[in-house]
Structures are given as structure tokens and as C-alpha cells.
Amino acid sequence: MAAAKKKTARGRKQDQARVAGGEKYEVGYESKKTGRSASAVKKAVKKVGNSRKRVEKRLGR
């Protein structure tokens, strides 16, 4: 019998470090968090990429 795979948090950490510009709930979350409009968040993602740190820096957080 094969040993069960150990679940890791690697995927979750990688996902939290990114902003999916096409996902309404992610854009809404970031918009609410930074106090900027959803369109401003989408523009920031297009400009600097999907790294959450860079997007927040671009939005002035």
C-alpha cells in the first residue's frame, strides 16, 4: 500500500502572493483592502504584474 502524500502549504502561500486580475473576488478583496476602485486594481495588475506586494505598492498601501 502506498504511503499517503503529506499535504503542504506551498500552493496556498504561492496563491496568496498573487492577485488574479481576472477574478472578481480577488480584485474586490484588494480593492476593499486598499480603498481603491476595482478598475485601479486591474490597471495596477496589468502595469506591475500579479505580485501582491508590487500591486499594493503601486496602489499606495
Side-chain angles (χ1 to χ4, degrees):
M1 193 181 233
K5 286 188 175 182
K6 181 181 173 189
K7 290 190 177 188
T8 65
R10 180 172 182 230
R12 178 166 290 185
K13 283 185 179 185
Q14 288 177 340
D15 191 43
Q16 289 174 348
R18 307 273 183 247
V19 179
E23 296 291 338
K24 188 176 180 182
Y25 64 91
E26 289 229 12
V27 172
Y29 170 79
E30 201 60 43
S31 173
K32 188 175 180 181
K33 183 177 174 183
T34 60
R36 303 294 299 269
S37 68
S39 63
V41 174
K42 286 183 181 182
K43 285 180 185 177
V45 170
K46 277 190 169 185
K47 187 79 171 177
V48 298
N50 65 350
S51 168
R52 190 171 302 275
K53 286 182 181 181
R54 283 192 259 159
V55 169
E56 288 178 357
K57 186 176 180 182
R58 174 83 178 173
L59 294 172
R61 180 120 208 279

